Amino acid sequence: MLNTMQTKLCLTVIAVAALAGCATSTKPGAVGVTRSQMMLVSASEVDAMALSSFSNQNQKAKSEGRLVTKGTEYNRVARIAKALQVQVPVFRDDAKDWKWELALIDAPVLNASCAPGGKITFYTGLIRQLKLTDDEIAMVMGHEIAHALREHGRERMSQAKATGGLTALAGVLAPSKGLQVAVASEATHYLFTLPNSREHESEADTMGLELAARAGYNPRAAMSVWEKMAAASGGAGNAEFLSTHPSDSTRIASLTAMQPRVTPLYDAATKPEGAAKPEAPAKPESASKPESTRKTGKKKSSR
């Protein structure tokens, strides 16, 4: 009897601890993301890991002459990033005060990410090889920002901690150089290397779609960019993005189904500078000039 009571008590303690760590990191927005998350790892620990990884990445890229900090391509990506950052309070108010940073790395790599705390990384290969439009860049970046807003990396770490799979976390702020290396390696594994779950991907898709639409980028580009991703997965051996963000027809179908929710947001949004103008509807046949008018022999304008 005593053993049974002790077992029940232990299970109760575990359940209470689990519930104490459950929360939702964001507001639902128009797309309605409300899932409860297990958060056993503190945000400050995860942010410290992410910042260390981001800084190391940028130092390496700079030493190799691949860190882009100015020019037309950088300005283009930075402009889109700022437009999306304006919209983040729709999902969480504190994100507007994050220390947002952008790293554009010149490498033939199909990859992008946004680390916790607002550290965005984009590779020129993603833009150039897929010939991304501004709308498509906004869809990819919105998706990545959504991962950070939703704290999916922190959630993965919490799940690992709950199962005893996280070992170096306690030393995240420790002065030991060897421990810092171990922590950085572990952070990279959980934040960037592990494939995202279908649940995480779905949330990032829908939230990113809303962010981009509110910023004035055409939400229909979400389908075209993933179609390009799917095509790239067939022959691009350096498509790192696709190893952690699998592309498939189900995702494209889900994004298509979400269009009625976000299209009104796009229609009401102020369109960003340089945004593609909507195509003008084709003139009806009756509006064409009659044949006799076109054959008047008048010299055509040189415009």
Side-chain angles (χ1 to χ4, degrees):
M1 186 66 163
L2 183 60
N3 288 339
T4 301
M5 290 180 63
Q6 288 175 331
T7 300
K8 288 183 178 179
L9 180 60
C10 287
L11 291 174
T12 301
V13 170
I14 292 171
V16 170
L19 287 173
C22 286
T24 181
S25 58
T26 55
K27 295 182 287 185
V31 293
V33 174
T34 58
R35 179 179 62 86
S36 182
Q37 301 166 277
M38 181 174 65
M39 297 298 196
L40 301 180
V41 179
S42 75
S44 60
E45 288 175 313
V46 175
D47 288 352
M49 288 183 180
L51 179 58
S52 175
S53 180
F54 185 73
S55 298
N56 290 339
Q57 163 202 273
N58 294 346
Q59 288 173 6
K60 183 174 185 292
K62 185 177 181 180
S63 69
E64 295 171 349
R66 296 187 294 109
L67 187 64
V68 182
T69 58
K70 60 183 178 180
T72 302
E73 199 166 33
Y74 178 84
N75 293 339
R76 180 189 181 201
V77 177
R79 182 179 69 248
I80 295 169
K82 287 180 180 178
L84 294 174
Q85 289 160 29
V86 170
Q87 305 302 326
V88 297
V90 73
F91 290 114
R92 53 186 300 166
D93 294 320
D94 66 316
K96 68 180 183 296
D97 298 320
W98 286 359
K99 294 181 179 179
W100 291 90
E101 294 183 63
L102 169 66
L104 178 62
I105 298 178
D106 187 12
V109 176
L110 305 186
N111 205 10
S113 65
C114 182
K119 311 304 180 187
I120 301 170
T121 299
F122 239 76
Y123 285 82
T124 58
L126 185 65
I127 302 169
R128 297 171 187 170
Q129 293 182 41
L130 299 188
K131 296 180 173 59
L132 298 185
T133 65
D134 282 9
D135 290 323
E136 290 170 339
I137 292 174
M139 295 304 139
V140 174
M141 192 178 293
H143 176 101
E144 291 307 306
I145 289 174
H147 276 307
L149 294 176
R150 191 68 177 143
E151 297 188 87
H152 286 149
R154 180 183 170 202
E155 187 177 8
R156 284 199 298 271
M157 285 185 169
S158 296
Q159 291 165 350
K161 184 176 183 179
T163 58
L166 199 62
T167 57
L169 182 63
V172 62
L173 300 178
S176 167
K177 184 66 175 178
L179 192 53
Q180 287 177 353
V181 171
V183 168
S185 176
E186 193 154 24
T188 299
H189 175 68
Y190 286 106
L191 296 177
F192 305 115
T193 307
L194 279 180
N196 292 285
S197 69
R198 186 172 292 277
E199 195 167 45
H200 287 179
E201 285 297 277
S202 177
E203 289 177 347
D205 277 348
T206 54
M207 290 171 63
L209 192 63
E210 179 170 345
L211 284 173
R214 287 182 180 274
Y217 294 100
N218 193 332
R220 293 198 63 79
M223 284 84 78
S224 64
V225 74
W226 286 108
E227 286 167 355
K228 288 181 178 182
M229 292 285 191
S233 67
N238 57 353
E240 293 183 19
F241 191 85
L242 296 167
S243 67
T244 53
H245 299 71
S247 176
D248 56 29
S249 58
T250 301
R251 152 175 265 142
I252 295 173
S254 297
L255 288 166
T256 302
M258 192 61 62
Q259 295 296 307
R261 290 197 190 187
V262 297
T263 298
L265 302 176
Y266 168 67
D267 291 340
T270 300
K271 303 304 181 282
E273 178 187 351
K277 301 294 188 296
E279 291 184 8
K283 291 183 179 181
E285 191 67 28
S286 59
S288 301
K289 290 184 179 181
E291 189 70 17
S292 58
T293 305
R294 292 199 298 269
K295 294 184 178 180
T296 56
K298 291 182 179 180
K299 184 178 181 182
K300 291 182 180 180
S301 170
S302 59
R303 289 188 301 169

